[in-house]
Amino acid sequence: EICLGSLLMLRLCLLLGLCMLHATAQPTPQFSWNTVPVYWHSANATGPFSQSTLDFLKQHKFSIVTIEKYQAAQAAPVNHDAEGKIVAAAKQVATVLPDAYVIFYLNSVMDWEYYNLHYYLLKEAPSLLLRKDHNNGAFCRTRNQTLFNLAKQRMRDLWIETIVNASKKSSNIKGAFADRCTQDITKPCHDPELSKAYQTGHEEMIQNVQKRLGSDSIIICNNGDWPHVSGRMFERWGPYPDFDHHNWTQDISTLQHLGKNGVVVEVHCEDCSKDGFAKGLAGYLIGAQRLAYFACTKGWTTTGGWLNWYNEYDKKLGDPLGDARVEVREHDGRQKTHYHRKFSSGTHVTLEIPDDPKTQWTHAVACIKWSDGTTTGKCN
């Protein structure tokens, strides 16, 4: 009986071991509820990161650092080799934040001129770019940039290889930021038949880069989300219409849902006025789950606010005491959604949002009562 029990135990341990080996890995960026979790997404357009920028990153211990397409764009070779410049910047970040996830920016539809990929496509493979008149006319463009034809497998492969090659050159590049991740960019081409094949290819490409980099990498899908993709950004948090065409209460609900499913989420607030910051931060705190991060800036370079640090980021937060409590109230024939959420430090967040999407941001009322007795927003 003892021998039989031992054999059964051994088999159980082996099975458990196999299960652990085959369990799907998840991204593991550092995360803590002690204070507001903040991410960084920027570039220095004039050259490599300065020592003061590196000191700022080190001081605030960012766990996710995305390097934008503008990195060193004004340095030689001007508007070329964003791939190499982002890799060089990633290596700089590694000297001060060795455990951070560095994210490689590459627009998923727009063929930005900053990249070597752009010049290769123009000179060697122009057939991989979108054209009008059933792919026989002039290039389709958005913001004067040519567009990837994601209906073509070769184009999807080149996009993926650009990211994979960067990750091989700097081991701290552990993901990609896929801008315009779910957007159908084919409208300027006036080719309805193209749209379905394009969108199918688009989704496949984003999912395949996740597979190539590994399930423990972070693929941040901007303004949308695909199945089996580990990250999402809300680029314009609050004001309507958002880039995902949802209103703010819908985005708060999506933030909650994604977090509960283990998705890494970045919330980006563009209105950094005193009132706008309060609303944006309150909305984030109402919906945030583990691996949700916040930032408020007005652009995507170091001159756009990414070297600013708000006092609120250092205030005690603590684990949330459950999800936000939600009440819908009616006043003068109009509905408003009231959110309440408390954190273990004693911090208490309330947010009131009107039902009308057009006034949800302008007429919202936010209040954060911090555990130290200070407040952010309009608190009675």
Side-chain angles (χ1 to χ4, degrees):
E1 291 179 1
I2 295 175
C3 292
L4 179 60
S6 299
L7 287 171
L8 289 172
M9 183 63 71
L10 177 60
R11 290 184 65 184
L12 178 61
C13 290
L14 289 171
L15 285 171
L16 287 172
L18 286 172
C19 289
M20 291 176 66
L21 286 171
H22 288 89
T24 301
Q26 296 291 328
T28 56
Q30 293 180 358
F31 181 89
S32 172
W33 287 112
N34 290 340
T35 55
V36 176
V38 182
Y39 69 95
W40 202 80
H41 179 135
S42 191
N44 176 29
T46 61
F49 289 137
S50 66
Q51 187 58 50
S52 62
T53 295
L54 295 174
D55 290 344
F56 178 86
L57 295 177
K58 182 179 181 180
Q59 177 186 357
H60 298 297
K61 302 177 181 178
F62 294 96
S63 56
I64 301 178
V65 174
T66 297
I67 303 175
E68 256 283 339
K69 58 185 172 290
Y70 306 113
Q71 178 60 30
Q74 298 170 16
V78 175
N79 290 343
H80 282 65
D81 194 25
E83 296 93 333
K85 293 172 180 179
I86 291 175
V87 166
K91 292 179 178 180
Q92 284 188 283
V93 173
T95 65
V96 293
L97 293 173
D99 297 325
Y101 275 63
V102 174
I103 308 299
F104 182 98
Y105 177 100
L106 185 59
N107 198 295
S108 68
V109 296
M110 295 175 66
D111 178 30
W112 280 104
E113 63 183 355
Y114 306 108
Y115 292 82
N116 293 335
L117 176 62
H118 166 77
Y119 297 98
Y120 171 81
L121 291 171
L122 285 181
K123 295 178 181 179
E124 305 295 335
S127 64
L128 299 181
L129 297 170
L130 282 176
R131 293 177 180 270
K132 298 179 181 179
D133 301 324
H134 301 277
N135 217 34
N136 294 312
F139 287 127
C140 306
R141 294 179 182 270
T142 293
R143 294 175 61 182
N144 202 36
Q145 301 297 316
T146 48
L147 307 171
F148 304 133
N149 189 344
L150 301 182
K152 297 192 174 185
Q153 181 68 52
R154 177 58 178 157
M155 182 64 251
R156 301 196 297 271
D157 290 343
L158 285 171
W159 189 89
I160 292 171
E161 289 304 320
T162 299
I163 296 168
V164 172
N165 288 340
S167 71
K168 291 177 180 178
K169 293 177 180 178
S170 186
S171 61
N172 63 334
I173 294 179
K174 302 175 184 178
F177 186 93
D179 208 350
R180 301 194 179 219
C181 182
T182 60
Q183 185 177 8
D184 181 0
I185 206 73
T186 62
K187 292 179 181 179
C189 304
H190 307 295
D191 185 355
E193 296 178 2
L194 175 65
S195 180
K196 184 176 180 180
Y198 185 93
Q199 283 297 82
T200 299
H202 199 177
E203 179 178 2
E204 177 187 296
M205 183 180 76
I206 302 299
Q207 292 174 338
N208 282 344
V209 77
Q210 178 80 72
K211 293 177 184 177
R212 287 290 303 276
L213 291 184
S215 56
D216 58 341
S217 64
I218 301 176
I219 307 301
I220 301 174
C221 188
N222 196 17
N223 300 314
D225 44 272
W226 290 119
H228 314 299
V229 175
S230 58
R232 153 86 195 252
M233 173 185 270
F234 293 87
E235 183 180 354
R236 184 185 291 164
W237 181 246
Y240 181 82
D242 193 356
F243 289 120
D244 62 9
H245 306 294
H246 293 161
N247 64 48
W248 197 15
T249 55
Q250 289 173 323
D251 279 345
I252 290 174
S253 178
T254 301
L255 172 60
Q256 293 173 324
H257 172 76
L258 292 174
K260 290 179 183 295
N261 284 279
V263 176
V264 177
V265 182
E266 294 182 339
V267 170
H268 180 249
C269 182
E270 291 183 338
D271 182 355
C272 300
S273 64
K274 184 177 180 180
D275 188 48
F277 177 82
K279 293 175 184 178
L281 181 57
Y284 159 81
L285 291 174
I286 289 294
Q289 306 293 318
R290 186 179 178 276
L291 298 183
Y293 302 80
F294 180 80
C296 190
T297 72
K298 297 179 180 179
W300 301 103
T301 67
T302 50
T303 61
W306 290 100
L307 297 179
N308 296 340
W309 188 258
Y310 293 90
N311 292 332
E312 284 83 352
Y313 293 165
D314 289 322
K315 294 186 179 294
K316 291 183 179 179
L317 194 60
D319 291 349
L321 302 179
D323 290 339
R325 181 164 53 91
V326 185
E327 302 174 68
V328 178
R329 303 174 186 172
E330 188 168 322
H331 181 72
D332 293 334
R334 296 183 178 180
Q335 288 187 338
K336 294 182 179 180
T337 303
H338 292 251
Y339 300 89
H340 305 262
R341 198 180 195 191
K342 294 183 178 181
F343 295 81
S344 61
S345 68
T347 293
H348 182 201
V349 183
T350 60
L351 180 62
E352 176 186 280
I353 301 179
D355 188 53
D356 182 0
K358 295 180 181 179
T359 62
Q360 282 190 341
W361 180 257
T362 55
H363 288 62
V365 179
C367 170
I368 307 172
K369 295 182 178 179
W370 300 97
S371 59
D372 63 3
T374 61
T375 61
T376 297
K378 297 178 180 179
C379 303
N380 295 329

